[in-house]
Amino acid sequence: AEAAALALENESLRDQLHVAMRTKRELLPVTIAAFQSDAVSATLTINCGLRDGVTRGMTVIAGGNIVVGIVTETLTNTAYVKLVYDPRTRIGVRVGSQTLAYAQGDLHSGLQLELVTASDPIIVGDSVVTSGIDDLPDGLVVGTVETAAVTPGGLFQKATVRSAFDPALGSTLFVILNQ
């Protein structure tokens, strides 16, 4: 049992080191205390709060620079995180290497891309990362384009993005303290 716990801690520290080296940011390791997803929202409760320096608006990521969500409320020892695919979440993203758009959370399909013209190059399988045009750091992994099609009238595209974050993959996350 102790060896398994040490192996998990080792993996968590390697994830933290890998993420910290890539982002050059100060990261606070946190654990998911609770996960809630219902018909109108998707949130996490994490085990760190004001006493640890966590404040509203901070970005929460998983290993591999995967954006998880945004801290919406902090208490002394806990904080609440609105997940990236919560319908109240809208973030600036970059699709592929050049297309800028907004991604709106959607509980049924992950995220919906907005403001994408029909001429913007979007291909199923394109990577989607944060663009840095809002309060989130640039270059965090959001997910992958799952569907893309020109809307009736031909001016815009409708595209869905599958979030790279899956709460079932582990309970250790990181809060970016100095974004």
Side-chain angles (χ1 to χ4, degrees):
E2 185 178 341
L6 288 173
L8 281 174
E9 180 182 19
N10 191 13
E11 182 179 339
S12 173
L13 291 171
R14 285 181 190 193
D15 281 345
Q16 182 181 2
L17 179 62
H18 178 68
V19 171
M21 288 173 56
R22 290 185 60 193
T23 65
K24 305 232 189 290
R25 293 186 165 82
E26 184 180 352
L27 301 176
L28 174 69
V30 298
T31 302
I32 299 172
F35 170 74
Q36 180 194 359
S37 182
D38 55 33
V40 295
S41 67
T43 60
L44 293 176
T45 303
I46 57 174
N47 70 335
C48 292
L50 291 170
R51 71 171 162 77
D52 305 292
V54 177
T55 59
R56 188 172 191 247
M58 287 183 164
T59 304
V60 179
I61 62 174
N65 282 331
I66 296 170
V67 67
V68 171
I70 302 162
V71 174
T72 57
E73 183 180 352
T74 54
L75 304 173
T76 303
N77 298 312
T78 58
Y80 300 101
V81 178
K82 177 177 59 173
L83 297 181
V84 70
Y85 51 83
D86 183 295
R88 301 168 293 167
T89 301
R90 186 172 189 253
I91 59 173
V93 297
R94 186 172 53 254
V95 182
S97 62
Q98 60 186 1
T99 301
L100 294 175
Y102 278 98
Q104 177 77 42
D106 184 321
L107 292 172
H108 303 290
S109 63
L111 297 106
Q112 296 287 326
L113 293 182
E114 300 176 343
L115 303 176
V116 180
T117 65
S119 62
D120 286 329
I122 293 186
I123 301 167
V124 171
D126 275 350
S127 62
V128 179
V129 298
T130 54
S131 66
I133 62 174
D134 48 22
D135 292 336
L136 295 175
D138 183 33
L140 299 176
V141 177
V142 175
T144 307
V145 174
E146 199 164 58
T147 66
V150 175
T151 60
L155 295 177
F156 294 96
Q157 291 186 62
K158 180 176 182 172
T160 59
V161 175
R162 184 179 68 251
S163 174
F165 174 64
D166 180 353
L169 294 179
S171 62
T172 301
L173 305 174
F174 307 96
V175 177
I176 300 176
L177 295 176
N178 61 338
Q179 57 191 57

